[in-house]
Amino acid sequence: MPFSHPIEVRFSDLDAMGHVNNAVVVSFMEQARFQWWRSFLGGRKFQEEGFLIARAEVDYRMPILLGDDVRVELHCSKVGNSSFELSYRITKGLGGELFAEGKTVQVMLDFGTNRPVPLLPSTREWLEAQA
């Protein structure tokens, strides 16, 4: 089963049309991604083994409204040399109607040099197990 994270829709997430703003959906993906990666880091600082987002894409299927039970499911869909791709499903409840689907590409980074670095073997193994 993919990693799943609940999201509480706030009034401030809404746009003039009364549904969650498109840009906020990207932040919902970020919240889930942060909790997922935090489980991997196990208390280590993000700067010890962190990444930058190189690409984000979202396909919106249905508006999210205030009071909706929102879940973000994610799994690792591709592992490269210094990057990996995550796929997301934003649903009504666990596995319910589809609000949106998305993908992000993360590039591992040496925060001291601000340059990409290869995935560590242990990280690659963990990511592949998340598929």
Side-chain angles (χ1 to χ4, degrees), residues 55-91:
R55 179 179 175 85
E57 60 183 76
V58 181
D59 292 320
Y60 301 94
R61 305 292 184 207
M62 182 173 77
I64 301 172
L65 305 174
L66 190 63
D68 278 340
D69 177 16
V70 178
R71 305 283 304 192
V72 178
E73 302 170 0
L74 71 86
H75 72 276
C76 184
S77 48
K78 184 177 178 183
V79 180
N81 181 46
S82 61
S83 66
F84 60 96
E85 180 181 275
L86 296 176
S87 293
Y88 304 79
R89 287 177 38 84
I90 302 168
T91 61

Side-chain angles (χ1 to χ4, degrees), residues 50-54 82-84 105-109 116-117:
F51 51 79
L52 291 179
I53 302 298
S82 61
S83 66
F84 60 96
V105 174
Q106 292 69 214
V107 176
M108 301 306 291
L109 192 71
V117 293

